[in-house]
């Protein structure tokens, strides 16, 4: 008998006996109603398709701005910003630790001046923007708000998402700054601030994507993501927020793999688990608090540098799985991303993949076409049960933070990644172009490269900024931020004032480092 990516059994044939006595109304419900198995909205894509996002950001803000204009002209409905590693870690481009990394994996944002350039000519009142940023998410959100205000766009009109999911950084990525308790405090402050200032903004995108990219199975992806989400909800409740005030703005971020049936089951199971957790555990009564709304990105880890054109097929299948699973927005990877930053042509083709699914196929004509499938409903139930069991193990350790401090999630994911690597090496798992159907005459490919002079240019911009601004005003605003961080005041208010005075991202993060310290993983991590 074969098994899924999560190790669950897959029968060669499913029949009526697979769902014998299965309580359809209880397990399925109606689309847009509890437990949201069939989707979070009654009509799903029959009225309009999902939001089509393309992830972009490289080099300077000016270069990224040009790519955004190209994407908007190509028909993308939402922008998604990638930031370079120094920005993700809260360092300025001229910091010694930033050497060699400026503009490499995303755009360098050092101050409000870079943010102005990044969104020059982009109407922030009309586009939805997702920003993949975690530890310094509050800063980038505030810079976006400040630039929106300069365009005459009030915060009540701004729409988008900040990832702001630092717990998964301790598990799978490593771009954390502060210790977990301080990070959770900052997350709660963001929830409270946005409730007042940016009510349409999604305050967090709780991510399983990066855990999946690190090797998590679908069961681990769901279990560890929802366990982290529990921790964020508890932190917000502990800060005095009402669950039905902040929970409707929670959103999630998952991967979509080529294993289409299990991925569809994964998305359906995740919705059902979260609806139950929010209603039964946290007492949420607003249906929007019980909805698991999520963005999906196709699986970068499954892209290959060998025969890169084959990635077009992989991405199309992964995108179809996300759509059939009921995603709210989707990013399709470019076929050349296993080699370098995507070229303009490859990025446009990735967007066209979504447009073909939306406008040339029939998958948008009916809600949840897999409902009642013997195979998919069985897989959904089995995946749900396995994820709940794993969530219980995390709870028994004291919750997600306690499990992180013991290295539990990281250890589980690394074991799964190792198992997959062994299967590929042993030819037990086929990867087309890598261990089967290999060719040795691949055509040469010229990747998009980042100009190393960007680092020098960013340093010059920072030097000019520091010489022109009011240094005393910046110093006073950073002192006010430190004071707020030592107490219980919402730190986003003095943070916004500091950024408006042209304090840099690195300066603001350093002020918080002085108060909260930095996180060092336990020995052996």
């Amino acid at each position: 008998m074969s098994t899924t990516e999560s190790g669950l059994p897959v029968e060669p044939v499913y029949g009526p006996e697979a769902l014998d006595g299965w309580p359809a109304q209880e397990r399925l419900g109606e689309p847009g109603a509890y437990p949201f198995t069939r989707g979070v909205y009654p009509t799903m894509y029959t009225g309009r398709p999902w939001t089509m996002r393309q992830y972009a950001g490289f080099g300077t803000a000016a270069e990224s701005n040009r790519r955004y204009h190209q994407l908007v002209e190509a028909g993308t409905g939402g922008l998604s910003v990638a930031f370079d590693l120094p920005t993700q870690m809260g360092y300025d481009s001229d910091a010694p630790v930033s050497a060699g990394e400026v503009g490499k994996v995303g755009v360098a944002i050092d101050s409000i001046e870079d943010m102005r350039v990044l969104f020059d000519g982009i109407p922030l009142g009309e586009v939805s923007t997702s920003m993949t940023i975690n530890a310094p998410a509050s800063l980038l959100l505030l810079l976006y708000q400040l630039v929106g205000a300069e365009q005459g766009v009030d915060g009540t009109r701004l729409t988008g998402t900040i990832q702001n999911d630092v717990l998964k950084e301790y598990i799978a990525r490593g771009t954390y700054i502060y210790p977990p308790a301080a990070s959770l405090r900052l997350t709660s402050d963001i929830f409270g601030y946005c409730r007042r200032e940016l009510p349409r903004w999604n305050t967090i995108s709780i991510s399983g994507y990066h855990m999946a990219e690190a090797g998590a199975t679908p069961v681990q992806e769901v279990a560890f993501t929802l366990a982290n989400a529990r921790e964020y909800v508890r932190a917000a409740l502990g800060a005095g927020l009402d669950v039905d005030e902040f929970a409707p703005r929670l959103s999630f971020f998952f991967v979509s793999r080529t294993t289409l049936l299990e991925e569809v089951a994964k998305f359906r199971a995740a919705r059902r688990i979260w609806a139950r957790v929010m209603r039964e555990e946290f007492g949420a009564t607003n249906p929007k608090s019980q909805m698991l709304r999520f963005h999906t990105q196709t699986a970068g880890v499954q892209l290959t540098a060998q025969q890169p054109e084959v990635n077009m097929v992989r991405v199309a299948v992964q995108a179809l799985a996300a759509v059939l699973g009921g995603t709210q927005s989707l990013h399709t990877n470019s076929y050349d991303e296993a080699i370098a930053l995507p070229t303009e042509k490859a990025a446009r083709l990735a967007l066209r993949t979504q447009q073909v699914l939306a406008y040339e196929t029939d998958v948008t004509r009916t809600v949840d076409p897999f409902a009642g499938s013997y195979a998919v409903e069985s897989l959904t139930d089995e995946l749900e049960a396995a994820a709940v069991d794993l969530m219980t193990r995390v709870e028994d350790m004291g919750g997600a933070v306690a499990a992180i401090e013991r290295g539990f999630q990281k250890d589980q994911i690394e074991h799964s990644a190792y198992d997959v690597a062994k299967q590929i090496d042993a030819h037990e798992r086929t990867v087309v172009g890598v261990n089967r159907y290999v060719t040795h005459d691949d055509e040469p490919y010229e990747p998009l490269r980042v100009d190393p002079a960007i680092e020098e240019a960013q340093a010059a911009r920072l030097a000019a900024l520091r010489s022109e601004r009011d240094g005393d005003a910046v110093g006073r605003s950073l002192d006010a931020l430190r004071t707020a961080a030592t107490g219980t005041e919402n730190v986003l208010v003095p943070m916004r004032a500091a950024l408006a005075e042209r304090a840099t991202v690195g300066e603001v993060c350093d002020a918080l480092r002085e108060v909260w310290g930095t996180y060092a993983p336990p020995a052996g991590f």
Side-chain angles (χ1 to χ4, degrees), residues 10 27 74 76 124 137 167 219 226 285 328 369 408 440 451 473 498 519 521:
V10 180
R27 305 295 284 164
T76 189
L124 299 190
L167 290 182
V219 164
L226 299 189
T285 57
Q328 276 59 72
F408 174 70
H440 302 285
D451 187 347
Y519 177 71

Side-chain angles (χ1 to χ4, degrees), residues 164 450 454 491 504:
N164 189 30
V450 174
I454 286 171
V491 296
T504 68

Side-chain angles (χ1 to χ4, degrees), residues 452-512:
I454 286 171
E455 189 169 323
E456 184 178 334
Q458 282 297 113
R461 283 173 60 82
L462 279 165
L465 171 78
R466 294 187 181 112
S467 67
E468 295 167 359
R469 70 188 184 183
D470 185 338
D472 290 339
V474 171
R476 289 191 297 271
S477 65
L478 291 174
D479 285 341
L481 175 60
R482 293 185 189 95
T483 300
T486 59
T488 59
E489 178 187 346
N490 191 310
V491 296
L492 270 72
V493 176
M495 190 184 291
R496 182 181 64 190
L499 293 168
E501 292 288 356
R502 299 201 288 175
T504 68
V505 168
E507 289 166 344
V508 172
C509 288
D510 283 346
L512 293 178

Side-chain angles (χ1 to χ4, degrees), residues 17-86:
E17 68 282 355
L19 299 181
D20 187 33
W22 188 70
Q25 190 57 39
E26 174 190 328
R27 305 295 284 164
L28 278 178
E30 298 297 326
Y34 187 90
F36 302 103
T37 310
R38 304 196 63 191
V40 294
Y41 301 123
T43 57
M44 289 303 289
Y45 312 133
T46 59
R48 64 186 177 106
W50 59 93
T51 299
M52 300 179 195
R53 295 193 185 279
Q54 285 306 105
Y55 189 44
F58 60 93
T60 65
E63 288 178 290
S64 296
N65 176 262
R66 285 193 288 273
R67 176 62 63 85
Y68 292 153
H69 280 281
Q70 292 163 357
L71 290 171
V72 169
E73 289 166 7
T76 189
L79 299 176
S80 188
V81 187
F83 297 94
D84 73 355
L85 194 56

Side-chain angles (χ1 to χ4, degrees), residues 9 41 46 51 58 72 76 79 90 127 154 158 194 224 234 239 261 281 284 324 350 378 381-382 417:
Y41 301 123
T46 59
T51 299
F58 60 93
V72 169
T76 189
L79 299 176
V127 301
D154 186 80
L158 294 175
C194 288
F224 295 151
R234 287 173 182 150
L261 295 181
E281 185 174 330
L324 291 171
S378 297
D381 286 356
E382 290 169 6

Side-chain angles (χ1 to χ4, degrees), residues 333-463:
N333 290 327
S334 301
Y335 73 89
D336 52 359
E337 287 187 42
I339 303 171
L341 289 167
T343 61
E344 179 185 343
K345 180 179 180 180
R348 184 173 60 247
L349 180 60
L351 176 60
R352 295 288 183 254
T353 302
Q354 295 198 51
Q355 292 166 335
V356 168
L357 288 176
Y359 302 114
E360 294 190 20
T361 77
D362 58 0
V363 297
T364 61
R365 295 179 185 174
T366 187
V367 177
D368 188 25
F370 273 123
S373 158
Y374 300 135
V376 170
E377 298 298 1
S378 297
L379 287 171
T380 300
D381 286 356
E382 290 169 6
L383 199 148
E384 176 185 12
V388 168
D389 284 347
L390 191 51
M391 291 172 69
T392 300
R393 291 182 66 187
V394 172
E395 283 294 285
D396 289 344
M397 293 179 191
V401 170
I404 286 168
E405 291 170 345
R406 293 174 58 173
F408 174 70
Q409 299 97 319
K410 190 171 185 289
D411 180 68
Q412 294 285 304
I413 291 169
E414 287 175 351
H415 275 90
S416 296
Y418 180 58
D419 287 344
V420 169
K422 286 196 301 181
Q423 291 166 13
I424 293 171
D425 289 344
H427 290 240
E428 296 169 0
R429 175 188 294 256
T430 295
V431 181
V432 173
V434 175
N435 63 2
R436 287 189 71 183
Y437 312 112
V438 178
T439 60
H440 302 285
D441 56 350
D442 287 352
E443 296 179 7
Y445 174 81
E446 185 58 37
L448 180 66
R449 301 189 186 278
V450 174
D451 187 347
I454 286 171
E455 189 169 323
E456 184 178 334
Q458 282 297 113
R461 283 173 60 82
L462 279 165

